[in-house]
Structure formats: structure tokens, C-alpha cells
Amino acid sequence: MKTIPMRLTIALLALGTLTGFALAQAPAAVSPPIYLKCGWLFDGKSDQPRQNVVIAINGESIQEVGSASASGQIVDLSRETCLPGLIDTHTHVLLQGDITAADYDEQLLKESPEYRTIIATVNARRALMYGFTTIRDLETEGAGYADVDVKKAINNGIIPGPRMQVATRAMDVTGAYPLLGYAPNVPVPHGVQIVDGVEDGRKAVREQISHGADWIKIYSDRSYFVRPDGVLDDIPTFTMDELRAIVDEAHREHHKVASHAMAIHGVHNSVEAGVDTVEHGYYIADDDLKTMASRGIWYVPTIYVGDYVARGRAAAGAPVWVQMLSIHEDTFRRALKAGVKIAFGTDAGGFDWKIDPAKEFAYLVKWGMTPAQAIHTATSSAAELLDMRDKVGTIEPGKLADIVAVSGDPLKDITVLEHVDFVMKGGVVYKQP
Ligand SMILES: [Zn+2]
């Protein structure tokens, strides 16, 4: 048995030099296999970690998980806990953390989509190095179809990054999405495709899918305020007819719909229209939680970002963002109790990509999940949301070899996931302790 030496090219990749790019390509099925010798394994199927497990990797897939003796190339992770590659179901690789409206406007007005795409390639690499081997990127915020090209560059082995499902431009109605507030005679860009009316909605779905959208993303509400009874209220954007048309067209073409819905009406309308995932969901009425549970509609709560933007937005004159935090916690706890399916999503890009999105895990646990439940949201559950259960989300034979490792026990201290020190995607090592 010998330990595989730290491959120079891997180190270079991590450092971001050009030399390592060839390694990002999926390896051909080669023999002999690579063996990962894990001190502990959380396989994503069971809540119970197993001790001293050897994972055999052949090409891009997991060949065997067991205690069999390994000979050949061995990666020694005997002091680490191995887990399935993490999955973030709500990111924005084209965003850099916009706390205030002014930050956001500046980005769209002063940075070209080309410049933003270059930064997005760095963000994609960061996501992978944090241990996120798969992401669902939920719209480019004014950068057109740049996400399709970032995904393509990753899949073609040109840049390192996670597996991606992308939403392209997203949709909202006239007057509802930034940039807003400019003089009527000054044309400004918008962070979404503006869509009004049923026919427009169907056409936008067809257009976005034809240009590479995996998901359709809609914004269902805006202008949040807390009612005297503590309920988070909003102004719904689309009419029910518009929402139904968009959802129907997407489903007719076998694509799913993610709905940004923060408050009572946005969530209710989204659920009634039959969306597949509710994003943020700061306030969700009990009846809607019940419907979500019975219809299998996902809740992607994105907790950390709320905390990240709250104080800045309050300082900029919108104290509602601070009030919303406790409302969100109450909703999350009710959703957990109601048996709603919850998947890990962070809104990374809504906060700076220099911050590890794995910070979300500690919030999930603080708000009532067990560490094992929290890990499932970012592995097996997220894989289910993405319809990728046959490929990722668990460590078992036949699945893609997307594996990360941390030193320490995430079931005792969930924050160790903020320090992933081994990353393998599709059998290729990108980071090693
Ligand atoms: Zn978002």
C-alpha cells in the first residue's frame, strides 16, 4: 500500500494557475482504481457514520465502498470524515454580494457581462474548493445567458467548477425588479427578463429554455412589510394567470420552476400555481406548508444571507430586513414540523463569494435541525431536488465520485464543514489536505 503523492498539478489547480486546467477534464475509465481511505464515512444514506471505510474509484465513478484492502493509488484520509460532495441549490455565480440597492445598481451599470463572467469563473472555482461539487445557479442578475457558458466551460474542462444547473435570466413583471427609480427617459438594464401577460410568459419560457435554461426562475413577490399581527406581507408580482401559464409551459417542456417567494402572497400564489421550489420563504402560512408537504414542493430557506444583508439594509433605511429574521426562524421551525421537504440553498453571490456558503449549516442546526438532517439537505435531499439522485448526493457504487472530506466530526460540530480540505469531483482530486 502506498499513499498517492500530492499531485503537483492538483496543487497548481488549487492555486489557480493555468497549468492545472487539463486536470479538470473527466478522466477516462482507467485502471487501477484510486482508493480513498476514510477514517469515517457519512454516506448520505444513513445517519450513522461508518469507521475505516475504503472507497474505490474507477474513472469518474464509485466502484466499491467497503473495508476491502486497497492496493495501488491510495489517498490517505484516515484522519478525516468523508462525505458526498456538497450541493448548493441556490447560488448566483454572476453576483458579488449586493447588500444595498446601490451596490446592485453599480454592478449592472458599470460592469459588462463579459467582465462579470470572468469573475463568475473565479466564483465557480471557489464553490468547488469549498466542497460544493454541484450547484443550481438561480439566475444571472442581468448578465444574460452567461451562466450557460460558465457551465459549458466547466463541462468542457476549460475551468474548474461544480456541476451546474442554470436558470439564465429569470422573470419578473414591469416595475418590480431593479434597476428601479431612474428617470423615465433614462433606459437602464434590469436584473431579470421583464415579462407581462400570459403569452409573454410562455414565450419567455420557450426563449430561455432554447438558450440553455435548465430551470425557470420567477420572482413572485416584492415590497415586504410586517403586519401588526406579525405576518410578513408583500405585493405579489405576477397574476395567477401569468404564473400558471409560466409553470404550465415549463412543465410541458419538462423543466422545473423555482419561485422567489418571501412572504404570504408570493408563497401562496406560487404553491397554487404549482411551482417546484419555493426560494427564501421567510413567511409561509400553515395551510401553504401543508400543501407543500402533500405535493412535495421544496422549501429552500437561504438563512445565512438574510443575516448577512439585514444590518446593511436596515442602515440604508429598510429595518424590515432585521424584523424578518425572527419571522423566518418561526417559519422554518413550522416547516420542519409540517414535514416539508427542505433543501440546502444559500444565495451565495447575494453575499460575497469570499465567504464559505457552508456557513448555512450552522443556521440550519441553530434553527432546529440535527446535524445529520442538515447534511442531508445538502446531499441526498438536494440531489433529489435536482433530479440527480442516480448520480450524486450519496456515496455508493455506481454514483459519480463526488466526495469531500473534513477533519473532525460534522455530527458533533457542524461548522467543520466550513473547512473542507479534500475535494474530488468525478474522480478528479481538486483539493487535498
Ligand atoms: Zn437568489
Side-chain angles (χ1 to χ4, degrees):
M1 296 210 345
K2 70 172 193 291
T3 300
I4 187 172
M6 174 77 166
R7 284 193 248 161
L8 182 63
T9 35
I10 294 164
L12 290 171
L13 233 191
L15 291 171
T17 66
L18 284 165
T19 328
F21 278 9
L23 245 200
Q25 288 169 10
V30 287
S31 53
I34 297 175
Y35 296 94
L36 305 186
K37 208 175 146 196
C38 301
W40 295 87
L41 172 69
F42 185 96
D43 65 10
K45 291 190 295 179
S46 149
D47 287 358
Q48 292 307 315
R50 290 147 67 187
Q51 204 174 355
N52 296 327
V53 179
V54 175
I55 306 170
I57 317 285
N58 196 343
E60 62 174 7
S61 304
I62 297 165
Q63 190 175 49
E64 210 184 319
V65 181
S67 51
S69 65
S71 61
Q73 286 198 322
I74 293 166
V75 181
D76 183 10
L77 300 168
S78 56
R79 278 183 285 184
E80 306 267 319
T81 304
C82 297
L83 306 106
L86 303 175
I87 303 171
D88 189 339
T89 71
H90 190 137
T91 65
H92 300 276
V93 293
L94 272 300
L95 268 188
Q96 316 308 323
D98 56 308
I99 290 180
T100 65
D103 293 340
Y104 187 84
D105 287 16
E106 180 135 334
Q107 195 164 204
L108 266 70
L109 289 169
K110 295 189 176 169
E111 293 179 1
S112 68
E114 292 80 2
Y115 179 73
R116 292 178 60 195
T117 308
I118 292 167
I119 301 176
T121 65
V122 177
N123 295 339
R125 176 200 301 255
R126 281 199 175 109
L128 182 63
M129 293 307 168
Y130 291 139
F132 291 91
T133 49
T134 303
I135 60 175
R136 180 180 63 153
D137 203 67
L138 280 185
E139 86 127 323
T140 62
E141 308 281 358
Y145 293 92
D147 52 355
V148 176
D149 288 325
V150 172
K151 170 184 165 178
K152 188 172 163 186
I154 292 168
N155 289 349
N156 287 342
I158 295 164
I159 54 168
R163 303 176 196 286
M164 287 178 78
Q165 291 188 4
V166 298
T168 72
R169 301 178 62 193
M171 301 176 195
D172 204 339
V173 300
T174 294
Y177 203 86
L179 281 48
L180 297 167
Y182 291 81
N185 61 320
V186 179
V188 289
H190 293 288
V192 292
Q193 182 168 5
I194 304 294
V195 168
D196 295 298
V198 165
E199 291 314 309
D200 235 25
R202 286 196 188 270
K203 192 177 176 202
V205 170
R206 289 172 190 172
E207 205 172 289
Q208 293 187 0
I209 290 174
S210 80
H211 292 310
D214 299 304
W215 283 77
I216 296 302
K217 161 95 179 274
I218 52 172
Y219 285 84
S220 297
D221 59 8
R222 66 181 177 95
S223 305
Y224 317 110
F225 61 98
V226 181
R227 291 193 327 214
D229 63 357
V231 166
L232 188 67
D233 209 334
D234 56 1
I235 297 176
T237 54
F238 293 102
T239 63
M240 282 310 297
D241 282 348
E242 288 170 329
L243 281 178
R244 286 205 177 95
I246 290 167
V247 171
D248 179 67
E249 187 60 34
H251 286 174
R252 212 176 56 78
E253 299 193 44
H254 305 300
H255 286 257
K256 288 189 180 178
V257 179
S259 175
H260 165 110
M262 296 280 290
I264 185 162
H265 298 108
V267 173
H268 180 73
N269 293 352
S270 299
V271 168
E272 286 302 302
V275 305
D276 302 280
T277 70
V278 168
E279 307 300 313
H280 315 302
Y282 276 44
Y283 179 82
I284 307 177
D286 280 334
D287 277 354
D288 289 326
L289 286 175
K290 224 184 267 174
T291 312
M292 288 172 73
S294 67
R295 293 188 195 161
I297 298 172
W298 289 91
Y299 177 31
V300 182
T302 68
I303 303 170
Y304 168 68
V305 69
D307 202 15
Y308 174 84
V309 299
R311 271 155 282 281
R313 288 188 181 169
V320 65
W321 287 89
V322 172
Q323 294 170 275
M324 274 153 56
L325 295 176
S326 58
I327 296 173
H328 198 188
E329 177 171 357
D330 177 67
T331 300
F332 182 84
R333 289 181 185 276
R334 286 187 291 113
L336 207 51
K337 230 176 173 176
V340 174
K341 293 203 278 189
I342 297 175
F344 186 96
T346 65
D347 220 359
F351 56 88
D352 197 311
W353 275 100
K354 291 189 194 80
I355 298 169
D356 189 334
K359 273 182 175 294
E360 181 82 8
F361 285 107
Y363 286 78
L364 293 168
V365 171
K366 196 170 133 202
W367 284 9
M369 277 186 165
T370 65
Q373 274 179 305
I375 297 170
H376 282 300
T377 67
T379 53
S380 50
S381 296
E384 189 188 334
L385 180 152
L386 298 175
D387 278 334
M388 290 180 76
R389 273 180 91 177
D390 56 332
K391 296 190 180 76
V392 298
T394 57
I395 294 178
E396 54 189 318
K399 293 271 175 90
L400 290 168
D402 289 5
I403 298 163
V404 299
V406 290
S407 73
D409 181 357
L411 296 179
K412 288 205 181 81
D413 176 8
I414 195 76
T415 65
V416 299
L417 292 173
E418 293 167 32
H419 309 283
V420 166
D421 50 21
F422 172 82
V423 179
M424 169 180 269
K425 181 193 143 204
V428 178
V429 177
Y430 289 87
K431 191 179 190 181
Q432 203 162 288

